[in-house]
Amino acid sequence: MAEEVLITPPGKISSHLTSSLLAVAFLTSFGSSMLYGYNLAVVNSPAGYIKDFYNRTVVSRNGTGLNGEALTLMYSLTVSVFAIGGLIGSLMVGILVTKFGRKGTLVNSTVLVFIAGSLMGFSRICGSPEMVIFGRFITGIHSGISLSVVPMYLGEIAPKNLRGFLGLMPSIFICIGVFSAQLLGLHELLGKEEHWPLFLSLVVVPTFVQLMLLPWFPESPRYLLIEKHNVHATITALKWYRAKCNIQAEIEEMQEEQRSLSTVETVSVWQLLLDPTVRWQVLSVVIINIGMQLSGIDAIWFYTNDIFENAGIPAPEIPYTTVGTGAIEIIAGLIGCFTIERLGRRPLIIGGFAVMGMCCAGITVSLILQFMKYVSVGCVVGIIAGFCIGPAGVPFLITAELFKQSHRPAAYTVGGSLNWMSNFTIGFIFPFLQMSAGSYCYLVFSSVCLAVAIYVFFVIPETKNKTFVEISQMFATKEAVVESQALSQPDQLKLKKMNGYGTILFVREYM
């Protein structure tokens, strides 16, 4: 039966963007990825109202209010606890995607958003700052899960020539989420004091849309075949996601990967870190994910209003300036999405980090020279545009492309956890770093951005239009060169690739 289904008319595999692919990319990005961007920026506009709520609540409980440092610490916790939740969520990714699948994980995790939205929405009525903080923590768990699972899911359902386009779709919706929070935070909309609990709890709306529609779409074909060994379900899913039924070659490519992993179980994080055959892939994921957050982008998003205030922008103009930067984010994200299959991954991520590095240095100069305040605004826009055009989405896409099926969940766990730890670090210490180092704090971010750009230029190969097997073999070749250089004398080194996966055997021959 399976062979009869597999035999299809000869012809070229369809690689067109089908309505099913586009619908899944839209639903997962709108219902999951967008929430990450929204939650990054949603605390920016109502910061003063939230602090007043905290202070009034403490006064009603204890009779005395909070001093400036305690209030700053409590608000910093509100901002950064989102990242703590994200770290926990990212650590759960490997277990969840193996047990529930890619789509199943996204569907099941929506319950977290409804819990978080309820806590934040009713926090003022209940007079409980703890509900705001715990709600932010739970939304962080959901974002930690979805930030890794969405690009993994889209990368596995997409044909290789559309993997970049669909892989950057979540980054566009992250930018839309940031822009939505900035726009809704205007005083004319939800920027009034009485609206901030509603403002925080609006995350339930896109999640509800995803929950209603996503279950109707198939699971990842690669997951169904390689991990569940269900050929019929795989074929059904591929027919759903492709314009034609000629899927023979794509099935064969997946079966080749399945054969190469026939003796390899899904690895744990510890096994991944100890596996010498993927050391360059792991190092690359570590560097680009840490660099993504230590670039300072979250400091820009969390504290945009404070940065503009320090730059001397008049207070009434700050919200509208912030919304303008949000519009730039979306445009930059669209540019990256529609050019990645033409330019490749490397130019976007190298160029993005390089632009961010130069603009971070520019902010330092403009803040020191106060008369250049609008240069500071331009540098903020440059940082955001540089981030959205490449570093916002390419690291998650590359994580999917650098690893085979057995290593991919653990790789996302490693990358995601480092991403969120860096996110928390920046979100928590930036106000204190800004107070102690002043304008010079942005030079730290500039150095990180330029260092990551240099690393990608020299180490990470272009993965455009290559299968997962081909990418693994490219890194296996790099590993072979490094090892042969290290052990060239006086021993002789014999290298062998096992099952196309790039396992290297070292055999020393002694005289």
Side-chain angles (χ1 to χ4, degrees), residues 100-406:
F100 299 110
R102 282 58 167 155
K103 184 197 76 172
T105 299
L106 292 175
V107 172
N108 291 329
S109 64
T110 55
V111 66
L112 297 172
V113 180
F114 293 111
I115 294 172
S118 300
L119 287 171
M120 294 186 292
F122 292 105
S123 59
R124 188 174 59 184
I125 295 175
C126 299
S128 174
E130 295 84 1
M131 291 175 66
V132 179
I133 296 172
F134 193 55
R136 289 273 299 169
F137 173 71
I138 295 177
T139 59
I141 294 177
H142 175 266
S143 291
I145 294 170
S146 62
L147 205 60
S148 293
V149 178
V150 171
M152 187 190 304
Y153 182 33
L154 296 181
E156 291 183 6
I157 68 173
K160 63 182 180 180
N161 67 311
L162 291 175
R163 213 163 51 219
F165 173 78
L166 291 180
L168 285 193
M169 189 81 74
S171 68
I172 294 177
F173 276 86
I174 291 173
C175 296
I176 292 175
V178 172
F179 177 72
S180 300
Q182 293 167 340
L183 184 64
L184 292 173
L186 293 176
H187 187 74
E188 294 83 352
L189 297 174
L190 297 180
K192 301 181 178 67
E193 183 175 6
E194 62 269 23
H195 291 151
W196 68 260
L198 173 63
F199 189 25
L200 296 182
S201 63
L202 276 182
V203 289
V204 301
V205 176
T207 302
F208 178 77
V209 175
Q210 177 184 278
L211 182 60
M212 291 296 100
L213 299 177
L214 187 59
W216 297 97
F217 290 86
E219 182 55 83
S220 159
R222 306 188 79 86
Y223 171 79
L224 292 171
L225 180 65
I226 297 176
E227 297 189 36
K228 291 300 181 182
H229 310 289
N230 191 334
V231 178
H232 290 288
T234 302
I235 295 168
T236 302
L238 281 174
K239 287 182 177 180
W240 186 286
Y241 289 128
R242 303 293 182 261
K244 300 177 183 178
C245 293
N246 188 7
I247 56 174
Q248 178 73 38
E250 193 159 357
I251 288 284
E252 290 175 353
E253 186 266 318
M254 284 190 282
Q255 288 177 327
E256 178 188 354
E257 183 175 349
Q258 185 182 33
R259 285 192 295 270
S260 72
L261 300 176
S262 59
T263 58
V264 181
E265 298 292 334
T266 300
V267 303
S268 65
V269 170
W270 185 245
Q271 290 171 322
L272 176 75
L273 296 177
L274 294 180
D275 188 346
T277 67
V278 292
R279 71 179 71 178
W280 281 104
Q281 292 97 311
V282 173
L283 180 61
S284 298
V285 166
V286 167
I287 288 177
I288 61 177
N289 276 279
I290 291 179
M292 179 182 174
Q293 298 300 335
L294 297 188
S295 66
I297 186 62
D298 284 330
I300 298 293
W301 274 334
F302 285 147
Y303 302 102
T304 303
N305 289 3
D306 291 342
I307 294 170
F308 287 161
E309 183 180 347
N310 292 336
I313 304 297
E317 297 178 13
I318 289 177
Y320 303 98
T321 307
T322 303
V323 171
T325 64
I328 297 295
E329 295 168 24
I330 298 175
I331 295 172
L334 288 171
I335 292 173
C337 187
F338 285 101
T339 59
I340 187 169
E341 294 300 354
R342 181 179 297 273
L343 298 178
R345 284 67 163 145
R346 278 166 44 85
L348 291 185
I349 197 167
I350 293 171
F353 274 116
V355 169
M356 292 176 73
M358 291 185 289
C359 289
C360 283
I363 286 183
T364 299
V365 174
S366 63
L367 290 180
I368 293 173
L369 306 175
Q370 282 294 316
F371 65 88
M372 298 176 66
K373 61 183 180 181
Y374 290 105
V375 174
S376 178
V377 176
C379 289
V380 169
V381 171
I383 291 171
I384 292 173
F387 181 76
C388 292
I389 204 169
V394 175
F396 299 105
L397 172 63
I398 285 182
T399 303
E401 293 183 329
L402 295 189
F403 295 90
K404 287 193 173 183
Q405 197 82 7
S406 60

Side-chain angles (χ1 to χ4, degrees), residues 424-465:
F424 170 78
T425 302
I426 291 298
F428 190 77
I429 71 170
F430 178 73
F432 304 99
L433 179 65
Q434 197 176 34
M435 285 189 289
S436 60
S439 305
Y440 295 98
C441 67
Y442 297 97
L443 292 180
V444 177
F445 303 141
S446 177
S447 301
V448 170
C449 291
L450 296 177
V452 174
I454 292 170
Y455 176 85
V456 174
F457 180 81
F458 285 106
V459 175
I460 300 181
E462 182 56 66
T463 58
K464 182 180 70 172
N465 281 338

Side-chain angles (χ1 to χ4, degrees), residues 84-98:
I84 298 176
L87 172 60
I88 293 174
S90 67
L91 292 173
M92 299 164 59
V93 166
I95 297 172
L96 293 176
V97 297
T98 302

